Amino acid sequence: MNNLQLCLSKNMKFYRKKEGLSQAKLAEKAGTAANYIALIEVGKNFPSLPMLEKIAMALNVDALDLFDRNCFSLIDKKRLQEKLISSLVDAVEENFNGFVIKAD
């Protein structure tokens, strides 16, 4: 899943819940199927621009709000955290390889 899909799925789900809509109700308001909305929210599908506008209208937001810039910084922070954790795990494994702690 690329950054655009990740932001869209995250923001779409956020605004859907904020409006108190189920995926089925959002789909009904946007004129599509509930399983299509579900696929977008998990990043497996990306809507056409006309459908994106219908979804945004159904969510009472501007289509650009579904690609909020803050989302990208959150993604970058999460990736940085994942890289740091992975590096720490690698360092610990490398430094303590073969080291055995005995319990009393």
Side-chain angles (χ1 to χ4, degrees), residues 66-80:
L66 297 175
F67 299 98
D68 181 6
R69 287 190 173 275
N70 291 330
C71 179
F72 291 107
S73 64
L74 290 174
I75 292 168
D76 292 340
K77 286 178 187 175
K78 182 175 170 76
R79 286 192 178 143
L80 179 59

Side-chain angles (χ1 to χ4, degrees), residues 14-56:
F14 170 80
Y15 287 115
R16 178 178 61 78
K17 288 186 175 200
K18 182 178 177 187
E19 289 293 310
L21 299 173
S22 65
Q23 289 177 339
K25 191 64 176 171
L26 173 58
E28 182 182 316
K29 289 180 76 170
T32 191
N35 65 338
Y36 183 67
I37 296 296
L39 289 171
I40 295 169
E41 285 189 0
V42 296
K44 301 250 184 219
N45 237 333
F46 199 83
S48 65
L49 289 178
M51 179 52 67
L52 186 64
E53 287 190 4
K54 288 179 185 179
I55 291 169

